[in-house]
């Protein structure tokens, strides 16, 4: 039977959601009730096994652990809201159109370096997206496992850390290569527009198809949405933006892994929301 005190925590126009798993603290398992209003978290209540309100100190410990788990996949959650799986669709379409960029006789000496950099960025995008699709499936399986067993077990914390590091590393490499070749996409579109009458029909058709794909209303829009999340990827890290891209990616991997392994949430952000 649910304690009356728990019901009293719910306020006007709020929705309540009991997490489908418990969190351990002080050798006991605790339930967590999340209150939302207009789609945003408005309160948190930590409950004992009998659904009564837990002690405040215990509640704070549980909320810190919940914050830690949410931190692992904060970027993934935000990216899913913004991109809505269109990044995977774009990767498939790139696979079908990018070969034309490898035609060594097609572009002049001025344009070739621009094309080479763009071609590399598209290849990085495609490869990293493939990795992220796999990692995202693994993350979904982990969350399903936790839901089915009804608690986060010690090995689940390690799995969450590992998957977070893998996913974020792939996302960062993808993002910085896209950011570095924004102008390359524009230059390719202009070059094709200026030279299309001089190109063989089959190659002109292939290039126009690629340019259309990379336009601001298609893949280019998805790329810009991904780039817009770069501050979230670099949050809490000191990255030297003057380094070349491979070294910058390596630096991120090292710094983010250290942050992830030793991450300590700050209770100040949640203290006003705890209703115990």
């Amino acid at each position: 039977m649910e304690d009356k005190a728990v019901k009293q925590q719910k306020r006007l126009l709020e929705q309540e959601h009991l997490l489908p798993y418990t969190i351990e603290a002080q050798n006991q398992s605790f339930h967590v009730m999340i209150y939302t209003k207009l789609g945003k978290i408005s309160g948190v209540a930590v409950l004992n096994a009998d659904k009564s309100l837990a002690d405040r100190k215990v509640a704070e410990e549980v909320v810190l652990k919940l914050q830690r788990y949410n931190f692992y996949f904060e970027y993934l959650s935000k990216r899913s809201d913004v991109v809505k799986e269109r990044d995977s669709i774009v990767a498939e379409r790139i696979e079908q159109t990018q070969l034309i960029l490898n035609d060594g006789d097609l572009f002049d000496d001025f344009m070739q370096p621009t094309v080479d950099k763009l071609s590399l960025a598209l290849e990085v995008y495609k490869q990293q997206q493939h990795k992220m699709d796999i990692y995202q499936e693994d993350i979904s399986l982990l969350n399903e496992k936790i839901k089915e067993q009804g608690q986060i077990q010690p090995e689940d914390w390690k799995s969450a850390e590992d998957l977070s590091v893998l996913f974020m590393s792939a996302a960062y490499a993808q993002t910085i290569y896209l950011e570095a070749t924004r102008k390359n996409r524009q230059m390719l579109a202009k070059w094709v527009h200026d030279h299309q009458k001089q190109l063989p029909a089959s190659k002109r058709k292939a290039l126009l198809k690629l340019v259309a794909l990379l336009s601001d209303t298609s893949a280019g829009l998805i790329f810009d949405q991904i780039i817009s999340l770069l501050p979230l990827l670099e949050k809490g890290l000191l990255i030297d933006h003057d380094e070349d891209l491979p070294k910058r990616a390596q630096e991120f991997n090292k710094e983010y892994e250290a942050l992830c392994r030793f991450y300590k949430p700050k209770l100040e952000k949640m203290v006003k929301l705890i209703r115990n």
Side-chain angles (χ1 to χ4, degrees):
M1 181 176 176
E2 189 173 65
D3 192 283
K4 289 183 180 179
V6 177
K7 280 295 183 184
Q8 291 173 357
Q9 303 307 310
K10 186 177 179 181
R11 299 171 186 174
L12 185 64
L13 300 179
E14 284 187 332
Q15 300 291 321
E16 58 183 20
H17 174 63
L18 185 67
L19 294 186
Y21 54 84
T22 60
I23 294 178
E24 187 175 298
Q26 300 185 13
N27 297 318
Q28 296 183 58
S29 295
F30 295 90
H31 297 277
V32 179
M33 183 74 78
I34 305 293
Y35 300 94
T36 60
K37 187 173 182 179
L38 301 177
K40 295 183 178 181
I41 295 178
S42 53
V44 179
V46 177
L47 315 177
N48 295 308
D50 63 358
K51 302 298 177 68
S52 62
L53 287 172
D55 177 78
R56 173 74 185 197
K57 195 167 185 178
V58 171
E60 291 179 355
E61 184 177 339
V62 169
V63 167
L64 282 173
K65 287 190 173 183
L66 181 61
Q67 281 184 270
R68 183 179 182 88
Y69 193 82
N70 289 339
F71 162 78
Y72 294 143
F73 307 122
E74 179 185 9
Y75 171 81
L76 170 57
S77 178
K78 182 64 175 179
R79 177 167 171 145
S80 296
D81 289 342
V82 172
V83 181
K84 304 184 188 303
E85 299 184 357
R86 292 172 295 173
D87 45 4
S88 300
I89 296 172
V90 164
E92 292 177 6
R93 294 177 65 189
I94 287 173
E95 180 87 52
Q96 300 165 4
T97 58
Q98 70 180 132
L99 284 178
I100 187 64
L101 294 180
N102 296 330
D103 190 329
D105 298 325
L106 188 56
F107 302 98
D108 54 38
D109 292 341
F110 173 78
M111 192 62 190
Q112 190 63 55
T114 297
V115 170
D116 290 342
K117 290 179 182 178
L118 178 58
S119 181
L120 174 60
L122 294 179
E123 188 64 26
V124 169
Y125 174 86
K126 186 182 65 177
Q127 290 181 5
Q128 300 306 321
Q129 187 61 47
H130 178 63
K131 290 180 183 179
M132 283 189 288
D133 289 343
I134 294 173
Y135 301 148
Q136 190 166 351
E137 179 63 26
D138 289 340
I139 291 166
S140 296
L141 290 173
L142 173 62
N143 287 330
E144 189 62 32
K145 171 183 179 287
I146 291 171
K147 183 178 179 181
E148 288 181 2
Q149 66 197 18
Q151 63 179 168
I152 303 178
Q153 296 179 349
E155 64 269 20
D156 299 328
W157 292 100
K158 181 63 167 60
S159 295
E161 283 185 8
D162 292 343
L163 286 169
S164 181
V165 170
L166 290 169
F167 189 91
M168 294 287 277
S169 296
Y172 191 75
Q174 184 189 71
T175 303
I176 61 175
Y177 275 85
L178 290 179
E179 181 189 44
T181 53
R182 261 176 166 162
K183 291 183 178 180
N184 299 60
R185 286 187 275 128
Q186 298 168 356
M187 291 176 67
L188 176 64
K190 185 177 185 305
W191 188 91
V192 173
H193 178 269
D194 293 342
H195 294 81
Q196 59 179 313
K197 292 182 180 180
Q198 306 163 22
L199 301 174
S202 61
K203 294 184 178 182
R204 179 172 66 247
K205 183 178 179 181
L207 272 174
L208 288 172
K209 187 176 182 179
L210 178 61
V211 167
L213 171 61
L214 299 179
S215 70
D216 292 340
T217 57
S218 186
L221 172 62
I222 308 303
F223 293 166
D224 288 344
Q225 289 173 332
I226 292 171
I227 293 168
S228 73
L229 297 175
L230 183 57
L232 183 56
L233 279 167
E234 295 184 338
K235 184 179 178 181
L237 305 178
L238 295 175
I239 304 296
D240 185 356
H241 291 182
D242 293 328
E243 294 282 8
D244 59 38
L245 297 182
K247 194 165 183 179
R248 186 174 161 191
Q250 290 176 357
E251 183 181 351
F252 173 87
N253 296 351
K254 183 178 179 180
E255 287 210 20
Y256 180 75
E257 182 170 7
L259 175 66
C260 195
R261 303 301 185 198
F262 301 102
Y263 178 71
K264 291 184 178 180
K266 294 181 179 180
L267 190 62
E268 292 84 355
K269 293 183 178 181
M270 295 290 292
V271 69
K272 292 181 180 179
L273 298 177
I274 300 174
R275 297 182 179 178
N276 290 66

